[in-house]
């Protein structure tokens, strides 16, 4: 796209969004807390899943102060089903910083926002444009795909050069008068028409400016990391004291959460086999073999959780499913 068309491109997106923009609860608010929560949830979770949880979660934690006052276990428990629990930890850290440093309110200036825990370029752009309608750049995977095609750019979008170029473009292209609608439109174009694979160019509001010759082949990405298969052997040991579980230590992916205890394969191979559970996490394909143990010696970090407490004990979805399946009724 030629530079002389930048402002027409931005205006075409804003006009299209005015007529066709989707209605989401986070688009009906300018409350920076509600916007931050939606952006954090949407980072690695699909829109339908977020829609099912967003308003109930906000009703539980309607302000930074409400989340700052909750203990970490309650915050983790509230996030179950959304996955990637470090997000709620960093949301809580941001809420605590807002309360301690800004009286529970959001600072309006960019440097102070950027200093909050877990707030990076994308979130700053989202807060400034969606909460305050300020012309701030914003790039996510959808925006990158649109830029790669509009500019017919073969630079890998996930390379440092690709990322730098797209953030520079985003800053130059943002609509000065209506950045809120413009940034929403750009992301929505990537979600609805300029999609992965075959885009729907015939309906595209910026088709006149797009220079993609083979849009199906864009964006280019760096080669993917290989999927690694891993296996775990876990035990189900339930007694009158409760279910034996292991608390994840600091520094682990699920820090502060509980999971079924892990054992060496040869140690539990002869115990009754309950099930094999398969799931994927990032680039790992996990197979978990669960065996029932009638006796067990608790190891470091392991303890019995009374059955009545399991419903509010934080655990990742795979563990929650097993607990719900095998818990005595
Ligand atoms: S014309 Fe097609 S490839 Fe270009 S931005 Fe629109 S949907 Fe994407």
């Amino acid at each position: 796209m030629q530079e002389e068309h930048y402002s027409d491109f931005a205006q075409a997106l804003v006009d299209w969004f005015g007529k066709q923009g989707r209605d989401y609860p986070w688009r009906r608010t300018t409350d920076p807390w509600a916007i931050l929560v939606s952006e954090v949830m949407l980072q690695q979770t699909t829109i339908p899943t977020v829609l099912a949880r967003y308003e109930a979660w906000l009703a539980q934690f309607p302000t930074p102060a409400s989340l700052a006052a909750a203990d970490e276990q309650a915050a983790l428990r509230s996030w179950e089903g959304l996955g990637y629990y470090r997000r709620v930890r960093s949301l809580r850290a941001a809420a605590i910083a807002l309360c301690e440093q800004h009286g529970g309110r959001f600072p309006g200036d960019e440097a102070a926002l950027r200093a909050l825990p877990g707030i990076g370029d994308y979130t700053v752009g989202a807060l400034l444009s969606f909460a305050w309608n300020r012309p701030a750049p914003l790039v996510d995977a959808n925006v990158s795909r649109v830029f790669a095609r509009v500019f017919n750019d073969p630079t890998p979008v996930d390379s440092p050069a690709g990322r730098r170029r797209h953030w520079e473009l985003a800053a130059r292209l943002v609509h000065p008068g209506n950045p809120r609608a413009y940034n929403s439109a750009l992301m929505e174009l990537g979600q609805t028409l300029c999609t992965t694979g075959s885009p729907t160019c015939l309906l595209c509001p910026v088709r006149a400016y797009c220079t993609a010759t083979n849009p199906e082949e864009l964006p280019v990405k760096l080669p993917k990391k290989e999927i690694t298969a891993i296996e775990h052997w876990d035990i189900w040991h339930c007694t009158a004291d409760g279910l034996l579980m292991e608390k994840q230590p600091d520094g682990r992916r699920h820090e502060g959460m509980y999971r079924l205890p892990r054992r060496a394969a040869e140690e539990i191979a002869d115990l009754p086999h309950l099930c094999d559970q398969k799931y994927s996490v990032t680039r790992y394909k996990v197979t978990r073999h669960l065996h029932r143990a009638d006796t067990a010696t608790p190891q470091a970090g392991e303890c019995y959780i009374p059955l009545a407490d399991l419903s509010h004990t934080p655990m990742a979805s795979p563990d929650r499913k097993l607990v719900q399946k095998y818990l005595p009724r």
Side-chain angles (χ1 to χ4, degrees):
M1 176 168 60
Q2 304 292 321
E3 199 166 340
E4 70 213 54
H5 293 136
Y6 282 11
S7 63
D8 292 340
F9 168 88
Q11 189 60 48
L13 277 175
V14 168
D15 292 346
W16 171 73
F17 189 74
K19 291 183 212 129
Q20 315 242 356
R22 291 185 175 179
D23 177 33
Y24 296 126
W26 47 90
R27 287 187 176 157
R28 289 179 224 135
T29 180
T30 54
D31 172 8
W33 175 245
I35 287 165
L36 176 62
V37 170
S38 72
E39 291 301 332
V40 171
M41 281 189 181
L42 287 163
Q43 274 165 21
Q44 276 137 327
T45 305
T46 61
I47 290 177
T49 303
V50 173
L51 280 172
R53 300 287 302 279
Y54 176 69
E55 285 171 309
W57 197 92
L58 263 184
Q60 190 179 355
F61 299 113
T63 58
S66 59
L67 183 60
D71 66 27
E72 189 182 67
Q73 302 278 298
L76 290 169
R77 181 72 182 93
S78 74
W79 207 257
E80 275 189 31
L82 291 165
Y84 297 94
Y85 293 87
R86 67 179 163 69
R87 292 181 298 169
V88 70
R89 269 196 209 95
S90 92
L91 196 55
R92 184 166 166 272
I96 291 170
L98 284 167
C99 292
E100 289 178 353
Q101 297 161 25
H102 303 283
R105 302 172 68 86
F106 275 78
D109 74 283
E110 184 177 335
L113 281 176
R114 219 172 261 287
L116 293 169
I119 306 285
D121 293 337
Y122 173 84
T123 316
V124 167
L127 283 169
L128 290 175
S129 57
F130 299 147
W132 293 288
N133 204 22
R134 287 204 227 144
L138 189 158
V139 179
D140 70 353
N142 289 306
V143 174
S144 270
R145 185 167 54 255
V146 171
F147 282 171
R149 287 170 171 170
V150 167
F151 291 91
N152 204 30
D153 184 358
T155 313
V157 286
D158 46 355
S159 66
R163 276 196 281 265
R164 198 167 46 246
R165 176 161 162 70
H166 287 179
W167 277 98
E168 284 165 9
L169 281 172
R172 297 194 57 195
L173 282 160
V174 66
H175 193 290
N178 200 344
R180 180 183 291 136
Y182 169 82
N183 277 341
S184 297
L186 198 52
M187 291 197 292
E188 189 144 314
L189 180 65
Q191 286 160 5
T192 58
L193 298 177
C194 197
T195 50
T196 311
S198 299
T200 311
C201 300
L202 277 176
L203 299 179
C204 179
V206 292
R207 188 159 53 121
Y209 312 106
C210 180
T211 59
T213 46
N214 289 309
E216 296 81 5
E217 289 171 19
L218 291 169
V220 172
K221 290 190 179 171
L222 294 171
K224 272 193 178 168
K225 286 184 183 153
E226 277 184 22
I227 299 290
T228 307
I230 52 174
E231 289 180 276
H232 296 305
W233 283 264
D234 293 352
I235 56 166
W236 177 270
H237 178 54
C238 195
T239 72
D241 294 329
L243 180 66
L244 188 64
M245 298 203 82
E246 181 194 348
K247 188 176 184 185
Q248 298 302 287
D250 291 355
R252 285 271 182 87
R253 184 162 176 269
H254 287 144
E255 159 185 342
M257 302 177 77
Y258 288 79
R259 74 168 180 212
L260 293 168
R262 199 148 288 175
R263 294 290 186 267
E266 57 279 10
E267 198 184 316
I268 61 169
D270 294 335
L271 298 180
H273 176 242
L274 289 179
C275 67
D276 287 340
Q277 186 185 45
K278 294 177 192 284
Y279 56 94
S280 296
V281 182
T282 59
R283 62 188 187 84
Y284 296 101
K285 221 172 188 171
V286 182
T287 302
R288 180 186 217 184
H289 309 282
L290 186 66
H291 292 256
R292 194 184 73 237
D294 292 331
T295 59
T297 306
Q299 299 181 359
E302 295 177 1
C303 62
Y304 290 95
I305 308 279
L307 302 191
D309 293 347
L310 282 169
S311 63
H312 52 264
T313 299
M315 61 188 84
S317 292
D319 287 84
R320 178 67 64 195
K321 283 182 189 153
L322 293 176
V323 166
Q324 285 171 345
K325 185 171 177 187
Y326 292 109
L327 202 60
R329 290 173 202 280

